[in-house]
Amino acid sequence: MLDKSEYLHPDKECLSRQEIEKLQVERLQATIRHCMNSPFYKKKFEEMGIKPEDIKTVADVRKLPFTTKQDLRDTYPFGMASVPLEKCVRLHSSSGTTGNPTVILHTQKDIDEWANAVARCLHMVGLRPNDVFQNSSGYGMFTGGLGFQYGAERLGMLTVPAAAGNTLRQIKFIKDFGTTAIHAVPSYVTRIKEVMDQQGVDPRRDTKLKVLAIGAEPHSEEQRKRIEEMMGVKAYNSFGMSEMCGPGVAFECKEQNGLHFWEDYYIVEIVDPETLEPVKDGEIGELVLTTLNREAMPLIRYRTRDLTRVLGRTCPCGRNHIRLDRMKGRSDDMMVLRGVNIFPIQIEKILMQFKELSTNYLITLTTDNDNDNMTVEVELAAGIHLSEVLLQSLAKDITRALKDEILLTPHVKLLTLGTLPQTEGKAVRVKDLRTVYQ
Ligand code: ADP
Ligand code: ZN
C-alpha cells in the first residue's frame, strides 16, 4: 500500500478482496430488503421467491433477475422508485443516445454518496483542494455536469462550471483562473486544442493544466495518447452512466491500466450477451452492474449493454477494486455490414495511427446496388497540407489498414480540418443511411 494520503477513502479504497466481498454481501442483502419498497422489484422478487437470506456469497447475485433499459422505460417515470417521491431531491434523465429517455431519482443521501465517489476518482489521479477544476461538459440532464460539479466541490477544489461550448471563453478561463484540471468528452478536448492552435495558445507554455478527465463516450487508447500528446498532460478515462448515478462509477488510477470500478458501490459482472452466463476473466462480454448503496432507485443486475472485459483485481496503486478494459462500445453500436460485425472504435484505432489525421471522423453507411457500403470521412490534422498525389496515396494507405482490421474496403475521404460537424456533447460517429433501416 502506498502512503495513506494517496487515498481519499483508505478504509474503502484499500480493502482486501475478502473484505470487499464481505461488504458486498452485506450491502446486497440490505439492497434486496430495501428493493421490496419498489413495486417493480417487490413483484419480481415475490414471483421468484427471493429473500435477502438467499445471498451468502457475491456469486449468489446470479440468483437475482436482470434489469434492462426497457424495464426503466416501462416503469417511466417513477415505477422503479424504492422510496416515496417526497424523499427524492433530484431527477436525471438519460441523454437518450439510443431510444427514449429514462428517469433516475436521487435522495439527498444518493447525491452525497455520488459526490463522494466522484471526489474519490479525482483524488486518485492526484487532484487536491488547491487545484482549479474546469468542468467543460454539458450541464442539465447530462450527469457529467452536476456529477463532476458536486464531486470536485466535495474534494474542495475551486470548481468552474464552464459547461461545454463557447470555446474561446473556455480558453480564457483556463488561462485567467489557472485551471489545472478539465473534464470534457474526448471530442471536445480536441476542439479546445484546435481553437488554442488558432489563437496561438500553447497549453504547455501558457496554461497550468496537469490533468484531464475524459469519458462519457467510447474512445480508443490511441485517441487518449493523441490527446495527452497534444495537451501535454495526463488524460484519465472516466466511466459512468445515468442509471448508476453518472460519473464516478469507474475511473483510471495513475497506472492507467484499466478502469477501477468501485466495488463498495457496485457488484460487477461480465456476461455473455446471448446466454447471459458469466464469461471468463479476460473474455469480452456485457457489463452488468448492481448498485449497493442507492436509496431512491437501486438497480439489480442492470444490463448496461457496454462491452468490456476483466483485466485484473489487483493493481500497483494498492487498490483491489476490479479493473476493466476501456469500453469496446455498446452492443447496439455494433454495425453489421455484409455479415461482418464492426465497432466504430476499431476504425478509430486505425485512423489514430496516422499522424497526418486529426481525431475528427464520421462513418456513413449506405446501400448502393443492394450492397452495404461504408464511407469514412476524416479530417487532416492541423498544419497538414498535402499535394493531390500525396493525398491519394495517404487515402490508399488508410483504406488498406482499415481493410486489414474490418475485412471490408471502405471509401476513405480526407477533409480539411473543421469540415465535419462539431458537437459539444457526445460525438456522433456513425450515420446509418442504409435503406433497411429507414
Ligand atoms: P445515454 O445512455 O443516453 O448515452 P449516459 O450519459 O447515461 O446517457 O451514457 C452512459 C453511457 O455512455 C455508458 O453506458 C457508455 O456506453 C458510455 N460511456 C460513458 N463513459 C464512457 C467511457 N469512459 N468510455 C466508453 N463509453 C462510455
Ligand atoms: Zn490502480
Side-chain angles (χ1 to χ4, degrees), residues 147 149 196 280 376:
Q149 181 72 33
M196 279 183 167
K280 290 202 197 76
V376 178

Side-chain angles (χ1 to χ4, degrees), residues 9 12 23-24 26-32 34-35 82-83 105-117 120 243-245 248-249 262-267 290-300:
H9 307 140
K12 295 290 182 303
L23 183 67
Q24 287 187 319
E26 282 164 23
R27 288 192 168 183
L28 183 57
Q29 287 173 347
T31 298
I32 294 175
H34 183 52
C35 277
S82 290
V83 298
L105 295 164
H106 300 268
T107 63
Q108 186 57 52
K109 180 172 167 285
D110 292 330
I111 298 287
D112 282 345
E113 286 289 1
W114 180 12
N116 286 337
R120 183 194 289 180
E243 296 90 324
M244 297 293 128
C245 274
V249 177
W262 298 122
E263 291 184 275
D264 51 329
Y265 288 139
Y266 304 99
I267 291 178
T290 298
T291 65
L292 291 176
N293 70 341
R294 286 278 291 288
E295 202 172 43
M297 240 178 101
L299 292 177
I300 304 289

Side-chain angles (χ1 to χ4, degrees), residues 175-296:
K175 291 197 300 181
D176 293 353
F177 304 155
T179 300
T180 57
I182 296 180
H183 163 246
V185 291
S187 44
Y188 193 56
V189 177
T190 307
R191 175 74 191 137
I192 295 177
K193 179 60 169 54
E194 277 169 26
V195 179
M196 279 183 167
D197 286 346
Q198 287 160 12
Q199 300 295 310
V201 175
D202 175 352
R204 290 176 171 83
R205 182 192 63 204
D206 305 322
T207 77
K208 294 190 178 154
L209 283 174
K210 62 178 195 194
V211 164
L212 297 173
I214 55 172
E217 63 186 19
H219 55 288
S220 56
E221 184 61 30
E222 287 76 9
Q223 168 149 210
R224 181 251 288 282
K225 287 204 184 105
R226 276 292 188 94
I227 288 178
E228 289 189 329
E229 272 163 32
M230 67 191 187
M231 296 298 279
V233 296
K234 288 275 176 203
Y236 295 98
N237 189 2
S238 157
F239 176 87
M241 73 182 66
S242 312
E243 296 90 324
M244 297 293 128
C245 274
V249 177
F251 220 83
E252 279 178 328
C253 68
K254 286 184 183 171
E255 303 290 330
Q256 293 185 310
N257 57 0
L259 291 155
H260 277 292
F261 275 69
W262 298 122
E263 291 184 275
D264 51 329
Y265 288 139
Y266 304 99
I267 291 178
V268 175
E269 297 173 83
I270 311 280
V271 303
D272 179 319
E274 302 290 326
T275 64
L276 301 181
E277 290 300 321
V279 301
K280 290 202 197 76
D281 278 9
E283 278 176 20
I284 292 188
E286 178 177 344
L287 172 67
V288 171
L289 294 172
T290 298
T291 65
L292 291 176
N293 70 341
R294 286 278 291 288
E295 202 172 43

Side-chain angles (χ1 to χ4, degrees), residues 149-167:
Q149 181 72 33
Y150 279 52
E153 288 176 4
R154 176 61 50 89
L155 188 53
M157 294 190 281
L158 174 60
T159 308
V160 184
N166 202 339
T167 312

